[in-house]
Amino acid sequence: MQICLVEQMCTVKLKITACQIPLPNQSAVAMEAATVLRQRLGDKTPQLGVVLGSGLGFWADRALANPLRVPYMELPDFPRSTVPGHHGSFVLGELQGHTILCMQGRVHYYEGYSLQQVTLPIRVMAALGIQGLILTNAAGGIAKHLHPGDPMVLCDHINFLGSNPLIGPVKPDETRFPDMSEVYCRRWRAGFHAHLGRTGQAEAAEGVYLATTGPSFETPAEIEAFARLGADAVGMSTVPEAIVARQLGLPVFAFSCITNYAAGRSPGPLSHEEVGETAAGAEDRLSALLEAAIISFTVTNQKLEC
Ligand code: HPA
């Protein structure tokens, strides 16, 4: 009986230890996935990585020339989305002479993946040579001026996940305490807004994105609290990916599609279906904004220092 108890305690201790040091494993998984992906993609080095969120899932199929697709399921131990409406493939292709590596679908913390697993694809894309990262997502609008269908360019974020993807051992060539005072590259944003102006496109608002774990939507009291903290929009992704990208020294640009008024900002209940429908309806505008972001990165500077 006593031996049994000791055994049980050891098992628990081993499990805890395994949870606390997931990074070496994930590093190995990232390296293996990068090796397989590189073999599948041939000798093309991507310049930009793009994570396609709700409303942009099909963008890579429509916009990229000479697309090459690698489903996540073909990469060893690669996390796969369990959420309806989220695809699961890398797509590499050309846009205006530039090579773009897209993620059609991402995984979320609320699916039960660790933050290290959620951000593993960013490490894979970095290993493949991307020089900048564009993140897109769906979000609930908190600020009064944001309405369903509107875009919001992230100028900053609040990590309300209660954790951080960088917790755990750090590799010798990585920063332990990366600076987060300008996560979303100011120069890239300026280039983007200038491009919208030059091409006669409507202006896009900037705002602060707050990340929650989900998967339950927020209560009206939580949204009121987030508003007082300075959040303009709320969502369940992006922040872990942006943190890892900054640790790796990648410039980041991100925008949200406001798919709904956040809880308590409109009379009805929130639903995942509403999020999907609004994002699908905003597809054309989101595609134009994504292309503006890509053009303003490459036009501004091939090696943007942010
Ligand atoms: N809350 C959290 N995440 C979201 C929302 C929301 O209202 N809309 C889209 N993603």
Side-chain angles (χ1 to χ4, degrees), residues 19-24 116 164-171 174-176 247:
C19 288
Q20 283 170 342
I21 48 166
L23 206 54
Q116 286 78 17
N164 189 298
L166 305 183
I167 290 175
V170 68
K171 291 203 292 190
E174 287 175 352
T175 320
R176 172 78 290 184
Q247 187 206 29

Side-chain angles (χ1 to χ4, degrees), residues 121-141:
I122 307 302
R123 295 187 184 279
V124 171
M125 291 196 286
L128 279 152
I130 61 166
Q131 294 164 24
L133 179 68
I134 300 177
L135 301 167
T136 66
N137 61 50

Side-chain angles (χ1 to χ4, degrees), residues 138-141 212 217-218 234-236 259-263 270 275:
T212 61
F217 286 113
E218 302 70 36
V234 59
M236 305 175 192
T259 49
N260 55 282
Y261 293 111
L270 306 189
V275 168

Side-chain angles (χ1 to χ4, degrees), residues 92-165:
L92 181 88
E94 315 284 330
L95 186 84
Q96 309 213 354
H98 301 287
T99 308
I100 319 283
L101 181 60
C102 291
M103 286 182 60
Q104 269 186 331
R106 54 152 66 91
V107 298
H108 302 82
Y109 194 36
Y110 62 71
E111 291 176 77
Y113 290 109
S114 68
L115 288 179
Q116 286 78 17
Q117 287 173 305
V118 166
T119 51
L120 181 122
I122 307 302
R123 295 187 184 279
V124 171
M125 291 196 286
L128 279 152
I130 61 166
Q131 294 164 24
L133 179 68
I134 300 177
L135 301 167
T136 66
N137 61 50
I142 298 178
K144 299 275 187 303
H145 64 276
L146 293 174
H147 307 284
D150 286 350
M152 184 192 86
V153 175
L154 275 65
C155 61
D156 207 344
H157 73 224
I158 297 171
N159 178 7
F160 209 79
L161 297 169
S163 190
N164 189 298

Side-chain angles (χ1 to χ4, degrees), residues 33-229:
T35 306
V36 176
L37 193 55
R38 198 176 280 122
Q39 281 163 0
R40 295 286 309 275
L41 297 177
D43 52 7
K44 283 186 195 157
T45 299
Q47 288 154 326
L48 273 180
V50 178
V51 180
L52 299 169
S54 309
L56 281 166
F58 295 105
W59 179 84
D61 299 319
R62 290 180 191 156
L64 295 181
N66 308 318
L68 274 174
R69 170 184 301 278
V70 180
Y72 300 151
M73 60 188 295
E74 293 179 14
L75 302 175
D77 298 321
F78 203 81
R80 275 182 258 160
S81 177
T82 61
V83 185
H86 284 260
H87 310 260
S89 293
F90 278 108
V91 182
L92 181 88
E94 315 284 330
L95 186 84
Q96 309 213 354
H98 301 287
T99 308
I100 319 283
L101 181 60
C102 291
M103 286 182 60
Q104 269 186 331
R106 54 152 66 91
V107 298
H108 302 82
Y109 194 36
Y110 62 71
E111 291 176 77
Y113 290 109
S114 68
L115 288 179
Q116 286 78 17
Q117 287 173 305
V118 166
T119 51
L120 181 122
I122 307 302
R123 295 187 184 279
V124 171
M125 291 196 286
L128 279 152
I130 61 166
Q131 294 164 24
L133 179 68
I134 300 177
L135 301 167
T136 66
N137 61 50
I142 298 178
K144 299 275 187 303
H145 64 276
L146 293 174
H147 307 284
D150 286 350
M152 184 192 86
V153 175
L154 275 65
C155 61
D156 207 344
H157 73 224
I158 297 171
N159 178 7
F160 209 79
L161 297 169
S163 190
N164 189 298
L166 305 183
I167 290 175
V170 68
K171 291 203 292 190
D173 57 336
E174 287 175 352
T175 320
R176 172 78 290 184
F177 302 108
D179 175 54
M180 290 286 141
S181 39
E182 192 188 309
V183 176
Y184 305 96
C185 179
R186 192 180 293 275
R187 280 177 62 194
W188 196 346
R189 284 187 276 134
F192 168 84
H193 292 299
H195 176 83
L196 292 189
R198 264 198 314 276
T199 51
Q201 297 185 61
E203 285 176 13
E206 291 207 344
V208 175
Y209 174 95
L210 182 145
T212 61
T213 64
S216 53
F217 286 113
E218 302 70 36
T219 64
E222 284 165 348
I223 292 299
E224 201 44 50
F226 294 165
R228 289 178 200 200
L229 285 178

